[in-house]
Amino acid sequence: MKNHESNVVGPDVMLIALAASIPNAAVLGGFLNLSSSQIKDTNNWIDSIRASSPTRTRSSSSSSDNQDKINSWMLYHPSALNMFDQIAYNMKGKKIVTFLDYDGTLSPIVADPDKAFMTKKMRATLKDIARHFPTAIVTGRCRDKVYSFVKLAQLYYAGSHGMDIKGPTKSRTPNKGNDKALLCQPASKFLPMIEEVYKILLEKTKSVPGAKVENNKFCLSVHFRCVDEKCWAALAEQVRLVLNEYPKLKLTQGRKVLEIRPTIKWDKGKALEFLLESLGYDNSNDVFPIYIGDDRTDEDAFKVLRNRGQGIGILVSRVPKDTEASYTLKDPAEVEQFLRRLVQWKRSSTQ
């Protein structure tokens, strides 16, 4: 069908213009053959990655407008530190279980994911928390990798977005006197496929400066943090083209990262439910789970808690976001303060 208006740009011209606007467009490997819906998908991923960056400023809004939005958002998602007394009142007489994301929650977000270290203060507080409550770290990272950061054997570790769960050897399960270490790996059959895609992505993305592909065992992360923003679309499209050949894998986005995971119905919310069941709290009315996280993937866990009507979800963010969490904390420093107050409250309540 011909265009009858001289100012209407045809789809072929739009594609060529889009490709020409992207640095290193050659890495797209077939970009000009994409459908408009595929281009839209890529743009949606990039928009989501931009929106999830807490340091990104929006020039179209004045600082006062931004502050008004933050104040309005805080009415519905108040600071967990400011509301600690109310939270403590709701915890009274309950069995507390703590669930914590790692990057952006226990450690700051850093350019090199291999250097996302906790502070000594955070590690000491985390050790105290684990003395008083069953504690799990639920992360998109490889379980072994996050353990190498934390190095606390008394914790439960749920890596790969909960697809690789291992507990301490000495069980703290109240209803099961079992000293066998807990282990759950629902995506084991995907390991060869994940490894195969990892090798392909290493090769395909090496032409994009700053791109990093991380193997998290049961999932993969493609990091954008050190990539020039002008190259984000090219990198995202290269990842999408690879994933087209693997329909049993899905693509999601986080804070300057694309996540590749098996299509099984398993996420951080499922991991939370599994751990509560393993601890003997699946049908308990007196359990109070606390989940703290900063990423889109943590929303699955926040939603589980809201649906259960038990415990609280706490989002770590300086900027307003759509969330199922009830409370907020600004950064890992505030997370440490909240956890320390939790320990102090526990100690005072048992005296």
Side-chain angles (χ1 to χ4, degrees), residues 131-297:
R131 285 195 185 105
H132 294 286
F133 315 112
T135 300
I137 294 180
V138 188
T139 174
R141 295 279 200 138
C142 171
R143 174 169 56 81
D144 290 340
K145 181 67 175 181
V146 78
Y147 182 83
S148 72
F149 286 140
V150 179
K151 297 179 181 177
L152 293 174
Q154 61 269 46
L155 273 61
Y156 293 82
Y157 292 87
S160 303
H161 299 289
M163 288 181 285
D164 187 12
I165 302 174
K166 188 174 182 180
T169 301
K170 290 187 178 181
S171 174
R172 296 184 61 167
T173 304
N175 301 332
K176 304 173 184 177
N178 188 351
D179 281 350
K180 185 178 179 180
L182 175 71
L183 184 64
C184 175
Q185 296 177 329
S188 295
K189 67 178 182 180
F190 290 91
L191 278 176
M193 186 183 298
I194 292 290
E195 185 63 29
E196 181 179 319
V197 172
Y198 173 62
K199 292 177 181 177
I200 294 172
L201 285 174
L202 282 179
E203 182 65 26
K204 294 288 187 180
T205 62
K206 66 182 182 182
S207 59
V208 182
K212 181 178 178 64
V213 184
E214 185 178 11
N215 189 338
N216 297 312
K217 191 171 183 177
F218 292 99
C219 62
L220 303 173
S221 298
V222 182
H223 294 277
F224 284 66
R225 192 159 300 277
C226 294
V227 177
D228 188 314
E229 189 170 336
K230 294 178 181 178
C231 298
W232 284 10
L235 180 55
E237 191 49 42
Q238 189 63 61
V239 174
R240 191 199 65 79
L241 289 171
V242 171
L243 264 290
N244 278 352
E245 304 300 318
Y246 296 88
K248 292 184 178 180
L249 299 178
K250 65 180 178 180
L251 194 62
T252 60
Q253 71 277 341
R255 293 172 62 174
K256 293 186 180 178
V257 65
L258 287 176
E259 304 275 7
I260 297 159
R261 293 189 265 171
T263 54
I264 63 171
K265 293 183 178 180
W266 197 269
D267 51 39
K268 290 184 176 182
K270 294 288 186 183
L272 182 152
E273 291 179 317
F274 173 81
L275 285 165
L276 286 176
E277 181 179 354
S278 299
L279 288 164
Y281 294 132
D282 50 334
N283 295 313
S284 174
N285 292 322
D286 65 351
V287 64
F288 194 94
I290 299 174
Y291 190 106
I292 308 177
D294 74 305
D295 197 69
R296 289 170 62 102
T297 57

Side-chain angles (χ1 to χ4, degrees), residues 10-53:
D12 291 342
V13 176
M14 290 175 67
L15 285 172
I16 293 171
L18 180 58
S21 69
I22 301 173
N24 299 326
V27 305
L28 294 180
F31 186 81
L32 295 181
N33 294 322
L34 298 178
S35 68
S36 59
S37 63
Q38 290 170 331
I39 294 174
K40 184 177 180 181
D41 286 343
T42 301
N43 290 339
N44 286 341
W45 293 334
I46 298 305
D47 288 343
S48 294
I49 290 171
R50 288 186 181 121
S52 66
S53 173

Side-chain angles (χ1 to χ4, degrees), residues 75-108:
L75 290 175
Y76 297 95
H77 309 285
S79 166
L81 285 172
N82 293 343
M83 301 298 292
F84 187 86
D85 289 343
Q86 179 180 317
I87 294 171
Y89 178 82
N90 294 331
M91 291 188 299
K92 192 173 182 180
K94 305 286 187 180
K95 305 293 185 182
I96 298 168
V97 185
T98 54
F99 300 88
L100 306 163
D101 186 20
Y102 186 77
D103 294 274
T105 299
L106 296 178
S107 74

